[in-house]
Amino acid sequence: MKVKDFLSGVLTGVAAGLIVNQAFEKLNPKTPAERVLSDVKEAFKKEGPIDGSWIVMKPEPFTNNVLSMEVYRGGISRIRNGELEQFEFAANAETGTVVELVQK
């Protein structure tokens, strides 16, 4: 096999992968749950270390009497002043914006 043929095949595969990825993102505009959790954790880390976190990978319906959307549900826990603090959040599945934050 010639190097030129091999490189041509690799480049064709990479180009096809990029096109398929872009098409998928257009068909599925949701922000990945992992990215949403990472963003929320970074925001909490600005105030201090966190102990644990979780997120539900499947979006669920959410309504706040004005807006309806799909959200990811998740939570963060941390120790602050010797006390355990737990927060639950709902983040818009399309944009990743936190639309609800409740301390438990």
Side-chain angles (χ1 to χ4, degrees):
M1 177 186 294
K2 296 180 182 177
V3 174
K4 182 178 180 182
D5 292 338
F6 176 75
L7 290 177
S8 175
V10 169
L11 291 176
T12 301
V14 169
L18 290 173
I19 290 170
V20 168
N21 186 40
Q22 288 177 352
F24 179 75
E25 286 180 0
K26 286 182 181 179
L27 294 175
N28 187 12
K30 291 183 175 47
T31 302
E34 296 92 353
R35 184 177 305 153
V36 171
L37 182 58
S38 177
D39 291 346
V40 172
K41 286 169 58 174
E42 286 302 315
F44 269 85
K45 285 180 182 178
K46 290 178 182 175
E47 295 182 17
I50 61 172
D51 289 333
S53 63
W54 59 272
I55 193 161
V56 178
M57 303 299 279
K58 184 177 178 185
E60 62 183 60
F62 173 82
T63 302
N64 67 356
N65 297 326
V66 177
L67 301 172
S68 295
M69 66 189 80
E70 286 196 323
V71 298
Y72 295 116
R73 294 256 179 212
I76 301 283
S77 61
R78 66 181 177 192
I79 303 292
R80 191 171 209 180
N81 298 325
E83 297 285 325
L84 176 66
E85 291 184 335
Q86 295 179 322
F87 298 87
E88 290 187 4
F89 65 87
N92 185 311
E94 288 185 18
T95 64
T97 304
V98 174
V99 294
E100 180 182 65
L101 180 66
V102 178
Q103 185 171 2
K104 294 291 180 172

